[in-house]
């Protein structure tokens, strides 16, 4: 993909942003680097300033990153500069796309989902897309985050071999960072699954079901995101060497193993979550049986007493309480005391 003059064109009206807008103003970041030097540029909302540096990049590797794919006009400017297909542009601004990889004549299109843990029960999902061409990698992110900050640090401080490698190796590092986020998210959910059985056996409150369902929903999201990503990584074996060189393809083979492990662990944890759900209902059933046993015992004791009182009606001639001034209030107090005592008993038994 050689240097070219840039001409402003109207955005195709058929290309529409689909998703949630996270940023007011999109931000662009450009790294031009080689083994000996690095130049870094940034711009807000405008591609024109960075276009000049791309035109003069010579033999440097270029990494252009966009935060904020909601700006269809800006994405379209980048697409025109790199001569991207309109269908690819629509995929870039449609954040509901499933992960996939496409091979075009002079570039490779890669779209995946990134997961980041917010807490034990919630996580955020972001679509990140890549365009890989000769010596240039473009990444498109929905929002600003620290997914790739450690890679930027490696570039700035010349850590590791990233500045000695090509754009295909940089693509591997970025996807590897996203895969690491998958593992972090899964580890958070595993930690919660480790705690839940103990909590369920101590006090199987109804709120546990909603927690377990949140965990299962997140595990399904991981599984749903990992499967197409795994298939896309497998497809890299068919990618021409002009895009991904054989030495770098070995790193992608390692990614395949990681994603297979991730997929298996997600399945295993789904089974664990189902087991905890069954454990919860088992304890709930056992607890209900214990409650019914005690209540049946109490009812059995008082049924004959109620029967005898019902027949005679407590209408005896000699009842000392009938002539006692405080008898009525005493009976009310005794009834309230019985009521409070039963409530306390039920709470101590954790029936309420």
């Amino acid at each position: 993909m050689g240097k070219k003059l840039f001409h402003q064109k109207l955005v195709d009206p058929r290309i529409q942003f689909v998703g949630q807008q996270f940023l007011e103003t999109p931000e662009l970041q450009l790294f031009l680097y080689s083994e000996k030097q690095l130049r870094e540029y940034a711009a807000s909302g405008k591609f024109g300033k960075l276009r000049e540096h791309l035109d003069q990049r010579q033999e440097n590797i270029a990494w252009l990153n966009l935060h904020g794919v909601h700006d269809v006009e800006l994405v379209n400017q980048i697409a025109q500069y790199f001569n991207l297909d309109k269908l690819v542009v629509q995929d870039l601004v449609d954040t509901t796309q499933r992960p996939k990889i496409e091979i075009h004549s002079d570039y490779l299109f890669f779209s995946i989902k990134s997961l980041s843990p917010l807490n034990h029960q919630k996580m955020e999902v972001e679509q990140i897309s890549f365009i890989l061409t000769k010596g240039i990698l473009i990444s498109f992110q929905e929002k600003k985050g620290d997914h790739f900050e450690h890679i930027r640090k490696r570039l700035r401080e010349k850590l590791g071999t990233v500045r000695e490698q090509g754009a295909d190796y940089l693509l591997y590092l970025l996807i590897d960072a996203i895969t690491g986020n998958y593992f972090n998210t899964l580890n958070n959910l595993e930690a919660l699954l480790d705690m839940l059985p103990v909590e369920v056996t101590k006090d199987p409150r109804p709120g546990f079901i909603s927690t377990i369902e949140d965990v299962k929903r997140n595990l399904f999201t991981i599984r749903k995101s990992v499967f197409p990503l795994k298939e896309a990584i497998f497809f890299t074996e068919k990618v021409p060497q002009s895009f991904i060189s054989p030495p770098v393809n070995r790193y992608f083979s390692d990614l395949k193993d990681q994603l297979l492990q991730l997929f298996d662990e997600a399945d295993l944890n789904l089974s664990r979550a189902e087991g905890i759900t069954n454990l919860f209902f088992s304890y709930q059933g056992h607890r209900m049986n214990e409650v019914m046993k005690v209540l049946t015992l109490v009812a059995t004791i008082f049924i004959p007493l109620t029967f005898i009182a019902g027949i005679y009606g407590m209408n005896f001639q000699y009842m000392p309480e009938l002539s006692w001034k405080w008898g009525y209030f005493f009976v009310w107090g005794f009834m309230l005391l019985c009521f409070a005592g039963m409530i306390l008993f039920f709470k101590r038994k954790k029936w309420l």
Side-chain angles (χ1 to χ4, degrees), residues 31-40 59-63 135 150-173 248 251:
F31 285 91
L32 296 175
Y33 64 91
S34 63
E35 184 179 356
K36 297 181 180 179
Q37 64 175 353
L38 177 138
R39 290 176 290 160
E40 182 179 347
E59 299 302 318
N60 290 320
I61 302 297
W63 174 25
H150 65 290
I151 298 174
R152 294 185 180 95
K153 181 178 179 181
R154 290 172 65 175
L155 283 170
R156 292 175 184 131
E157 300 180 11
K158 200 180 178 181
L159 302 175
T161 61
V162 58
R163 283 181 40 184
E164 301 170 14
Q165 305 281 351
D168 53 348
Y169 181 73
L170 178 61
L171 174 63
Y172 154 73
L173 288 180
V248 175
Y251 294 111

Side-chain angles (χ1 to χ4, degrees), residues 227-243:
F227 182 77
L229 175 59
K230 174 174 66 73
E231 296 300 313
I233 294 295
F234 282 166
F235 190 72
T236 56
E237 295 177 350
K238 303 177 182 178
V239 171
Q241 295 183 10
S242 57
F243 292 128

Side-chain angles (χ1 to χ4, degrees), residues 275-305:
I276 294 172
T277 301
N278 295 335
L279 177 66
F280 172 82
F281 284 114
S282 174
Y283 265 84
Q284 282 284 66
H286 174 72
R287 189 180 179 193
M288 182 61 69
N289 289 338
E290 290 296 315
V291 171
M292 294 305 297
K293 184 167 66 175
V294 174
L295 293 180
T296 302
L297 181 62
V298 172
T300 303
I301 293 171
F302 281 94
I303 282 174
L305 301 179

